[in-house]
Amino acid sequence: MNKIVIAIDGYSGCGKSSTAKEVAKKLGFTYIDSGAMYRATALHFLNENLSPLRAEDVEKGLKGLQISFQFNPTTSQQETYLNGVNVEDEIRTMRISERVSEVATVKAIRTALVAQQQQLGQKKGVVMDGRDIGSVVFPEAELKLFMTADVETRAQRRQLELLAKGEQASLEEIKLNLESRDEVDSNRTESPLLKVSDAIEIDTSSLTFSEQVEQIIDLVKKVTLN
Ligand code: DC
């Protein structure tokens, strides 16, 4: 299999991360969760009591920010580290979901994270998911996908994920959070979420997880055979 870059963008909670992770595993590619980087940044700003909307706080926050990923052989998952501390579970909580879109509107923060994402993907053989991967991070990606699903389905899936981690949240609360993040992510000035013209849309509302993965693997085969 040729080493290509697969960019997966789309709305919050439509299964981008879990699908991207499985596709990467099947292909022997590296998976990079760019949303985890925005989440870790939001956690850092909260921990340090910094406002992402104040320029001097942003400068200070970015100076003291180090994000990395490490594979955990026990869980067979790649986990997110903030300044050397494993924050994988903490960044998935509603507390962070409620703050992260604001952090992701800030140009200086995006510039810093995009530079790190480009560096992580420079050797190719990567699957990266986010909101601006096909448009800004890897505009030359060989395969660009745009994933969607209706908001009810997304909220139900997210509720199950949170429950599996011991966090209870109502469907209504989750739905409101997904809708408000979609709204902020799609309408911000800096790198808004959009479907670029060369992206292939995949609506996962009525697809099973393995169907989603198989559709993408088929597309990868087509791209790499050409
Ligand atoms: O993929 P996620 O839900 O974990 O992402 C969390 C937030 O980070 C999302 O609401 C928007 C932001 N984000 C972004 O602006 N650009 C990316 N490439 C990835 C995420």
Side-chain angles (χ1 to χ4, degrees):
M1 180 73 65
N2 284 343
K3 289 197 164 205
I4 61 165
V5 173
I6 304 172
I8 305 184
D9 291 301
Y11 296 107
S12 293
C14 56
K16 297 186 301 293
S17 300
S18 40
T19 310
K21 218 179 277 177
E22 186 60 22
V23 167
K25 196 171 153 195
K26 285 194 177 250
L27 298 173
F29 282 17
T30 305
Y31 164 62
I32 300 160
D33 179 352
S34 72
M37 299 171 75
Y38 288 92
R39 287 173 178 273
T41 306
L43 176 62
H44 177 63
F45 275 70
L46 272 176
N47 287 346
E48 302 296 317
N49 221 355
L50 297 168
S51 164
L53 303 180
R54 269 220 309 271
E56 61 269 35
D57 280 11
V58 171
E59 197 183 326
K60 200 169 153 198
L62 286 175
K63 261 190 202 141
L65 177 72
Q66 209 239 326
I67 300 169
S68 55
F69 295 106
Q70 237 172 274
F71 185 75
N72 178 343
T74 314
T75 57
S76 291
Q77 301 285 347
Q78 187 171 264
E79 296 180 341
T80 313
Y81 283 72
L82 168 61
N83 295 332
V85 177
N86 187 327
V87 293
E88 183 57 35
D89 287 337
E90 203 175 353
I91 60 170
R92 311 286 168 193
T93 58
M94 285 300 280
R95 174 173 167 255
I96 299 302
S97 295
E98 278 159 9
R99 306 298 284 264
V100 63
S101 276
E102 181 178 74
V103 164
T105 61
V106 181
K107 185 174 184 180
I109 292 177
R110 300 201 69 86
T111 304
L113 297 189
V114 167
Q116 190 180 349
Q117 288 152 11
Q118 289 172 334
Q119 158 91 41
L120 288 168
Q122 69 178 349
K123 291 196 179 132
K124 296 205 172 192
V126 293
V127 185
M128 191 177 293
D129 78 307
R131 305 294 185 289
D132 60 342
I133 310 305
S135 56
V136 175
V137 183
F138 294 117
E140 308 297 330
E142 288 84 352
L143 180 61
K144 298 182 187 178
L145 304 168
F146 190 83
M147 283 177 61
T148 63
D150 63 62
V151 72
E152 295 293 338
T153 310
R154 293 193 272 142
Q156 280 163 7
R157 289 178 185 164
R158 184 49 58 90
Q159 191 182 43
L160 289 175
E161 268 173 30
L162 287 169
L163 266 180
K165 288 183 180 155
E167 186 174 357
Q168 297 216 358
S170 71
L171 269 183
E172 202 46 37
E173 181 188 357
I174 297 171
K175 215 174 114 182
L176 284 176
N177 174 258
L178 293 175
E179 285 172 336
S180 96
R181 282 201 285 143
D182 289 347
E183 166 80 16
V184 177
D185 296 343
S186 306
N187 293 302
R188 66 183 177 221
T189 319
E190 293 304 323
S191 317
L193 168 66
L194 50 92
K195 179 179 172 283
V196 287
S197 59
D198 51 346
I200 299 166
E201 184 166 332
I202 299 184
D203 184 341
T204 69
S205 308
S206 54
L207 293 179
T208 64
F209 180 68
S210 49
E211 284 169 342
Q212 275 160 227
V213 173
E214 282 317 310
Q215 268 200 18
I216 298 175
I217 298 285
D218 285 347
L219 290 168
V220 174
K221 284 181 189 153
K222 274 190 201 144
V223 168
T224 51
L225 283 176
N226 281 334

